[in-house]
Amino acid sequence: MDYMDITVATEGRVRTITLNRPDRLNAWTHRMEAEFRRAIEAADVDEGVRAIVVTGAGRGFCAGADMDILEAGAAGAVGEPVVAPAESPPSGIEANYAWKFSYLLRVRKPIFVAINGPIAGIGLCMAVFCDFRYMAEGQRLTTAFAKRGLIAEHGISWMLPRLVGPTNALDLLLSARTLVTAEAAALGLVKALPSEGFLSKVQAIARDMTENASPRSIGVIKRQVYDSLFQDLNTAWRRADEEMQASFASEDFREGVAHFLEKRPPAFTGR
């Protein structure tokens, strides 16, 4: 696929998607949003990919929405949504995964965000809907919205409290203050890593997880965890019992037992 605002590269079974507007600190555009979703969906269906890493080009991760978009909004010219509403919108639990970034929760592969530079606004909204957030030491993070006269957009008011608790979420959203990597890590929002060799370290973490665990198990467990946010315990428990029975019939279960008994690295197929 041809992209303008992102780049895509694959090493082994790790697909790296890079936001690629370094001259604007990778500020978010409608084109970037459309390309990003296409790249994520392509990685999800590619059986050769087991993990997705998202990072930014140059010295920034994502500075938020491009100022041209904000200026147009301030002038009353709000742009059209990138993705048109579906003719038959999903219902039930699936409706929760149909939004701008909530679809990321439905991706079968784990998504690792490598925050190499400043992250703000819509860039943070995207990141909180990914599975793992790693941040280079000494970088900066802000929600930004309240200081622009905006509100908590794109599901962040729902997801952020689930990551850091309501009080911390309100602090970050209402003050829109800037915090550095160490405080973000202390809140549990990110995990800190040294800036030297940062992206390679995140890619190695992604590679290690997905080489040593069954991709089938990862996909099912990820779905269980996010579905449980919308379920009661009884429903989640019944679902787990059903999935456990299905696991017993899988190739990956047989391989999981075999490689342990034979004391060798696993060779999971994802089936």
Side-chain angles (χ1 to χ4, degrees), residues 90-111:
S91 59
I93 197 170
E94 293 303 319
N96 297 291
Y97 303 107
W99 296 90
K100 184 186 292 281
F101 296 127
S102 66
Y103 74 89
L104 295 166
L105 305 179
R106 261 297 183 259
V107 175
R108 295 175 302 152
K109 285 72 182 282
I111 305 175

Side-chain angles (χ1 to χ4, degrees), residues 91-169:
S91 59
I93 197 170
E94 293 303 319
N96 297 291
Y97 303 107
W99 296 90
K100 184 186 292 281
F101 296 127
S102 66
Y103 74 89
L104 295 166
L105 305 179
R106 261 297 183 259
V107 175
R108 295 175 302 152
K109 285 72 182 282
I111 305 175
F112 299 76
V113 181
I115 304 170
N116 57 301
I119 178 172
I122 195 171
L124 183 59
C125 292
M126 178 266 285
V128 298
F129 280 94
C130 295
D131 304 306
F132 303 97
R133 286 159 298 282
Y134 290 89
M135 192 168 180
E137 290 177 343
Q139 296 305 326
R140 294 169 294 135
L141 175 154
T142 179
T143 60
F145 300 119
K147 287 187 176 180
R148 301 290 175 269
L150 299 171
I151 51 83
E153 291 188 292
H154 311 309
I156 196 170
S157 64
W158 184 87
M159 196 59 162
L160 190 58
R162 285 162 172 78
L163 298 174
V164 301
T167 299
N168 288 323

Side-chain angles (χ1 to χ4, degrees), residues 13-269:
R13 291 176 168 173
V14 176
R15 175 76 47 86
T16 299
I17 300 171
T18 303
L19 309 182
N20 191 37
R21 301 182 71 226
D23 56 321
R24 303 294 291 269
L25 289 178
N26 305 311
W28 197 261
T29 65
H30 294 321
R31 177 186 290 120
M32 179 181 286
E33 181 176 325
E35 292 181 352
F36 178 78
R37 182 159 186 164
R38 277 170 40 212
I40 289 286
E41 291 174 345
D44 192 28
V45 299
D46 189 335
E47 295 304 321
V49 174
R50 291 194 178 176
I52 302 167
V53 173
V54 181
T55 194
R59 62 186 183 87
F61 178 78
C62 179
D66 187 272
M67 192 54 65
D68 290 344
I69 296 175
L70 295 180
E71 289 178 345
V78 178
E80 292 297 317
V82 176
V83 180
E87 292 183 6
S88 300
S91 59
I93 197 170
E94 293 303 319
N96 297 291
Y97 303 107
W99 296 90
K100 184 186 292 281
F101 296 127
S102 66
Y103 74 89
L104 295 166
L105 305 179
R106 261 297 183 259
V107 175
R108 295 175 302 152
K109 285 72 182 282
I111 305 175
F112 299 76
V113 181
I115 304 170
N116 57 301
I119 178 172
I122 195 171
L124 183 59
C125 292
M126 178 266 285
V128 298
F129 280 94
C130 295
D131 304 306
F132 303 97
R133 286 159 298 282
Y134 290 89
M135 192 168 180
E137 290 177 343
Q139 296 305 326
R140 294 169 294 135
L141 175 154
T142 179
T143 60
F145 300 119
K147 287 187 176 180
R148 301 290 175 269
L150 299 171
I151 51 83
E153 291 188 292
H154 311 309
I156 196 170
S157 64
W158 184 87
M159 196 59 162
L160 190 58
R162 285 162 172 78
L163 298 174
V164 301
T167 299
N168 288 323
L170 284 167
D171 171 28
L172 300 182
L173 290 166
L174 299 185
S175 71
R177 65 186 179 86
T178 298
L179 56 160
V180 295
T181 303
E183 185 179 359
L187 292 175
L189 182 55
V190 303
K191 292 184 178 182
L193 287 175
S195 57
E196 185 174 352
F198 172 68
L199 178 57
S200 295
K201 288 182 175 70
V202 177
Q203 291 168 327
I205 292 167
R207 184 167 55 250
D208 182 68
M209 177 186 292
T210 53
E211 284 181 354
N212 290 291
S214 154
R216 181 187 181 280
S217 295
I218 286 174
V220 172
I221 292 170
K222 178 174 174 177
R223 185 163 186 153
Q224 284 180 275
V225 167
Y226 292 127
D227 278 0
S228 71
L229 298 178
F230 309 102
Q231 295 169 332
D232 58 29
L233 176 58
N234 178 62
T235 303
W237 202 299
R238 289 178 181 276
R239 168 75 179 279
D241 286 348
E242 294 169 359
E243 292 292 356
M244 182 62 81
Q245 292 302 314
S247 293
F248 288 145
S250 70
E251 291 181 14
D252 276 7
F253 170 66
R254 290 190 288 274
E255 173 60 16
V257 174
H259 88 82
F260 177 77
L261 295 175
E262 296 167 12
K263 296 180 173 57
R264 59 171 174 78
F268 292 117
T269 64

